[in-house]
C-alpha cells in the first residue's frame, strides 16, 4: 500500500507538471519572466502551487491522503488567493484584505491562544498570526529550494511523509528551474503546515516553531523602517539574499534548514523564547551591518562614477 501511494504520487505530480508546463509555455499564462529582482535568466512556469494543489486533491479523493482536506474551505480559499495573484499580480492591499477575510473564517474553525481566558484577544491574535505566516512563507520563496526545503523540514517534523515526498519531487524541479511555487504554493504550504494536530496552539511556542520564516518577514519590516524605507516595498536585502551572496546557494540552504529545525526543537523548551530572541537579534544586527556597508560602498561607487563622467 505504501509503495502504491508513493508510485501514484510520482505519476500524478509529474503528469500535472507536464500538462501545466506545456500550457504555461504555450500561452504565457502563469509564466514568471526575469527582472532586476529575479535570478533566473529565462521565463519559468509559475505552476508549483497548482501542481501541489491538484496532486493533493487527487490523492485525497483516492483515499491515500487525508480525505478531511476535501471538506476544508480554508484549503481552497488560500490556494485561490495565491492563484489569482499568480495570474494577475493583484495589489498588495487587495491581497491583504482577502487574507484577513479568510483569517476571520479560520478563527471560527481553529484558535491559537496567548492568554487562555481571553477569547477575543486570542481570536484577533490567531487572525493576525494566520495572515503573517501566509506572507512569511511567501517571502522565503526568494531563492530556489528555500521554501520547499524548509517545508520538507516541517513536514518531517509533523510525520507527514506523503507531503514531504511530494515536496521532494517539487524541489528537484525547482532546482532545475522547471517550475516555481508562486504565491499559490507558498500560501498552500503555510496553511498545510499550520493546520496540523501536533502543532502547538500556544502562539509563543508556535512563533518559535515557525521561527525562520517569521524572522524573515519581521526583520524585513523592521529593517525597512530603521533604514527609512517603505516597509511594504520589496528589495534584495533579505537574509536569504545576503546568505546566498556570502555563502553560496547550497551552503546557505543547509544553514537555513538547520536553523528552521533548531527553532522548531526549542519551541517547547523552557527558555526557548529567550534563545530565539538572542538568535533573532544577532542575525538582525549582522544583516543591518552588511546592508549599511553595502549601501556605503554603492554611494562611494556612484560618486566615483560621477567624477569620471565630469
Amino acid at each position: 500500500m505504501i509503495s502504491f501511494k508513493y508510485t501514484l504520487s510520482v505519476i500524478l505530480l509529474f503528469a500535472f507538471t507536464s500538462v501545466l508546463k506545456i500550457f504555461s509555455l504555450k500561452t504565457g499564462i502563469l509564466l514568471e519572466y526575469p527582472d532586476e529582482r529575479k535570478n533566473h535568466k529565462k521565463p519559468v512556469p509559475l505552476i508549483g502551487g497548482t501542481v501541489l494543489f491538484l496532486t493533493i486533491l487527487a490523492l485525497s479523493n483516492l483515499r491515500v491522503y487525508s480525505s478531511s482536506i476535501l471538506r476544508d474551505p480554508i484549503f481552497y480559499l488560500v490556494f485561490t488567493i495565491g492563484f489569482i495573484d499568480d495570474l494577475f499580480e493583484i495589489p498588495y492591499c487587495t491581497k491583504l484584505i482577502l487574507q484577513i477575510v479568510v483569517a476571520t473564517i479560520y478563527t471560527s474553525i481553529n484558535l491559537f491562544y496567548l492568554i487562555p481566558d481571553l477569547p477575543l484577544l486570542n481570536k484577533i491574535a490567531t487572525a493576525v498570526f494566520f495572515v503573517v505566516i501566509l506572507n512569511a512563507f511567501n517571502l522565503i520563496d526568494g531563492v530556489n529550494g528555500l521554501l520547499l526545503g524548509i517545508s520538507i523540514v516541517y513536514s518531517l517534523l509533523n510525520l507527514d511523509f506523503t507531503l514531504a515526498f511530494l515536496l521532494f519531487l517539487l524541489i528537484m524541479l525547482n532546482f532545475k528551474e522547471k517550475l516555481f511555487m508562486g504565491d499559490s504554493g507558498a500560501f498552500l504550504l503555510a496553511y498545510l503546515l499550520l493546520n496540523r494536530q501536533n502543532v502547538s496552539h500556544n502562539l509563543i511556542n508556535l512563533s518559535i516553531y515557525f521561527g525562520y520564516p517569521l524572522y524573515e518577514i519581521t526583520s524585513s519590516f523592521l529593517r525597512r523602517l530603521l533604514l527609512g524605507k517603505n516597509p511594504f516595498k520589496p528589495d534584495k536585502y533579505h537574509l536569504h539574499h545576503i546568505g546566498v551572496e556570502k555563502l553560496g546557494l547550497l551552503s546557505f540552504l543547509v544553514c537555513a534548514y538547520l536553523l528552521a529545525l533548531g527553532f522548531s526543537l526549542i519551541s517547547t523548551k523552557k527558555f526557548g523564547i529567550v534563545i530565539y530572541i538572542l538568535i533573532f537579534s544577532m542575525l538582525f544586527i549582522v544583516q543591518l551591518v552588511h546592508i549599511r556597508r553595502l549601501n556605503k560602498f554603492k554611494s562611494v561607487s556612484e560618486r566615483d562614477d560621477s567624477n569620471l563622467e565630469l
Side-chain angles (χ1 to χ4, degrees), residues 113-245:
Y113 64 88
L114 279 172
I115 303 174
D117 297 329
L118 295 176
L120 180 59
L121 173 65
N122 294 330
K123 199 163 189 173
I124 294 170
T126 298
V128 170
F129 186 85
F130 183 88
V131 171
V132 170
I133 203 68
L134 290 186
N135 289 288
F137 270 74
N138 191 35
L139 191 148
I140 64 172
D141 193 23
V143 294
N144 292 342
L146 182 56
L147 169 66
L148 286 165
I150 295 291
S151 299
I152 289 172
V153 171
Y154 289 131
S155 300
L156 293 174
L157 288 169
N158 292 335
L159 304 180
D160 190 344
F161 300 115
T162 302
L163 181 58
F165 182 70
L166 293 175
L167 299 182
F168 176 74
L169 298 176
L170 286 169
I171 202 173
M172 292 192 296
L173 296 170
N174 184 230
F175 275 130
K176 295 178 181 179
E177 295 194 343
K178 301 296 183 183
L179 56 74
F180 290 154
M181 293 304 292
D183 284 14
S184 58
F187 295 165
L188 194 60
L189 282 171
Y191 178 64
L192 288 171
L193 296 169
L194 181 65
N195 195 43
R196 292 295 170 199
Q197 290 183 349
N198 56 338
V199 169
S200 173
H201 276 58
N202 180 306
L203 268 176
I204 301 298
N205 293 346
L206 197 58
S207 297
I208 302 170
Y209 181 83
F210 288 114
Y212 177 76
L214 286 181
Y215 170 81
E216 286 274 27
I217 193 168
T218 307
S219 64
S220 295
F221 194 85
L222 292 175
R223 163 173 52 80
R224 290 166 187 159
L225 287 176
L226 288 173
L227 296 175
K229 307 291 184 182
N230 182 343
F232 299 103
K233 186 177 180 180
D235 56 39
K236 293 196 73 172
Y237 294 142
H238 300 300
L239 180 63
H240 53 268
H241 291 133
I242 296 172
V244 170
E245 178 188 334

Side-chain angles (χ1 to χ4, degrees), residues 50-100:
T50 306
V51 168
L52 181 62
F53 176 77
L54 293 174
T55 304
I56 288 176
L57 276 184
L59 292 174
S60 299
N61 273 294
L62 294 169
R63 300 295 188 269
V64 293
Y65 192 65
S66 173
S67 59
S68 62
I69 207 159
L70 297 172
R71 303 181 298 276
D72 185 349
I74 309 299
F75 173 74
Y76 299 98
L77 289 171
V78 294
F79 169 77
T80 301
I81 294 172
F83 184 74
I84 293 171
D85 195 38
D86 289 338
L87 277 175
F88 305 113
E89 292 189 25
I90 56 178
Y92 184 80
C93 290
T94 304
K95 184 164 54 175
L96 184 60
I97 291 169
L98 292 173
Q99 290 173 342
I100 291 171

Side-chain angles (χ1 to χ4, degrees), residues 16 19 25 39 42 52 65 85 94 108 114 128-130 170 194 199 203 244 249-250 273 278 280 290 298 307-308:
F16 288 134
V19 172
L25 292 173
N39 295 320
K42 60 181 181 179
L52 181 62
Y65 192 65
D85 195 38
T94 304
S108 66
L114 279 172
V128 170
F129 186 85
F130 183 88
L170 286 169
L194 181 65
V199 169
L203 268 176
V244 170
L249 178 61
L250 291 180
I273 185 63
L278 287 173
F280 186 110
H290 175 81
K298 283 182 177 179
N307 289 335
L308 286 173

